Amino acid sequence: MENKSLNQIIAARKEKIQKILDLGINPYPYNFKVKHSTDFIIKKNSGKKTSIAGRIMSLRRMGKASFLNLQDMNGKVQLFISRDDVNSKTYELFKLLDIGDFIGVAGTVFITKTNMPTLKIEKLELLSKSIRPIPDVKEKDGEKFNLVSDKEFRYRKRFVDLIINPEVKNDFIKRATIINSIRNFLNKNKYIEVETPVLQPVYGGANAKPFVTYHNALDQQFYLRIATELYLKQLIVGGFERVYEMSKDFRNEGVDRSHNPEFTMLEFYQAYVDYHYMMDFVEKMFKEIAKDLKMKTVEVDNIKIDFSKKFHRKTMDELMKEHLNEDVDLSSQSGLFNLCKKYNLKVKKSDSIAKLIDEIMRRKIEPHLIEPTYVINHPVEISPLAKVHRDADKSFTERFELFIGGMEFANGFSELNDPIDQRNRFEDQSSKRNSGDEEAFPIDENFLEAIETGMPPTAGVGVGIDRIAMLFIGTRWIRDSIIFPTLKTLK
RNA sequence: GCCUCAGUAGCUCAAUGGUAGAGCAGUGGCCUCUUAAGCCAUUGGUUCAAGGUUCGAGUCCUUGCUGGGGUACCA
């Protein structure tokens, strides 16, 4: 991968390290006293003295004086060094600096003839010598040139991406703000944060293919969790009344624009409430995030989403009426089948009501749910952990999914706590598995034992954190919300 | 998975099937208000990999690798 050109650059930098050592200077010292950041200079504190530290981003040498740009966490600023202002050793050191080096400087702020706030260097310290070149991105009037166009390079070498595209940092600062906001919201609502096993002997809580691993000392196979649900509900059984976990789940499935094999999931459960309560609660949580980010609206595909508005709540037949103008009887298999045919959906005559409904929702409705909308009351067949609806048809559940911008953000329900029903549902999953459904989950006796011991009425929700980050960052790519996305190792 | 496009110097990009080139970065000079600094000189290439067609392949064909963009499943 590395050839002569790069090795030549590295060799030249290593020679400079030797020359710096010959000057009696340590190219990798231990600290530097930073007084201000670059923004102090940008704010035109003319005549004031300060010291700043950062990475050299460009050098414009003119023999006896030079300008350079220094970048730190807050931005970029111009420095000026003249042989008249520093001692000869410092100027010798300066001549050995490269783009990419970290330096610390002390001096006086002044304004150049072209009205550019600049720090005149009086003292200069090398803080870390860079021996590997970074792409030299030029910039004029805010327009960038020679930007790295290779997205793969940016994801693989995120450290370089962050150096040459410092605005990328803002997206991840935003993500951190979102996560803080969610934790604060849950904590102040008396939720307890817990950590459940990543290595699980039996996986479950979602329909997905797991990663398999092996523990040598225990001589046992483990699965990386696909969800935290089954453990968190055991804690509700145990007497925690409000618990949450925000952590990585792992699903051994395709990688695309909106899926990464490891992703961050929030799940929370509260005893003695139902899914109506949770819909209100999740809505409040989203509004709180928007408030903490000081973003009243976000934009998805040029459509503005206003978080001050109330989220919609719609049953599936209501949505089919609204979006397709069809009067649908959700209990009529033949009616649903004919509807699927009408819209050219790939279905079989033998498909269940649940599957037909799911197909219509997924193809014809969900992608068009731009404004925050709760889709409610899903078929029991596709909701193996949700309680049946209290007054509607018993083949439907008290479940909701939140859609924003055509993407699913949350999935919650009144949790099934009838142990007989729950065992039947697991057996149904198990038989689906045996007949080839790779994503159906196996029977978890430990979990069933807990439910048999008795779980209070409870509602729970799962929320995709990476997707919330995508929503507020304003990207359609999950890799822009995950700082080190999963990539194949180069051979 | 499938479809499709791409991979040339550290970075950005050229090169009708006919000697692999430029800008930036690097190196050596000149230069005390530059800012995509400038000027002179210069180093740097197994053109993603392996085969094939051809007198001749960066270019055409096959396979593979990696990635981008679609699409399917999952959040």
Side-chain angles (χ1 to χ4, degrees), chain A residues 204-209 226 251 253 382 384 429 437-441:
Chain A
N207 293 115
K209 280 181 254 175
I226 58 171
R251 298 189 185 174
E253 288 160 355
I382 55 169
Q429 284 288 313
D437 183 350
E438 285 185 284
E439 290 180 350
F441 50 77

Side-chain angles (χ1 to χ4, degrees), chain A residues 148-163:
Chain A
V148 174
S149 59
D150 184 353
K151 276 196 182 183
E152 178 191 358
F153 176 90
R154 295 180 56 188
Y155 296 132
R156 281 191 197 280
K157 306 287 178 197
R158 189 65 103 167
F159 54 93
V160 176
D161 185 30
L162 290 164
I163 294 166

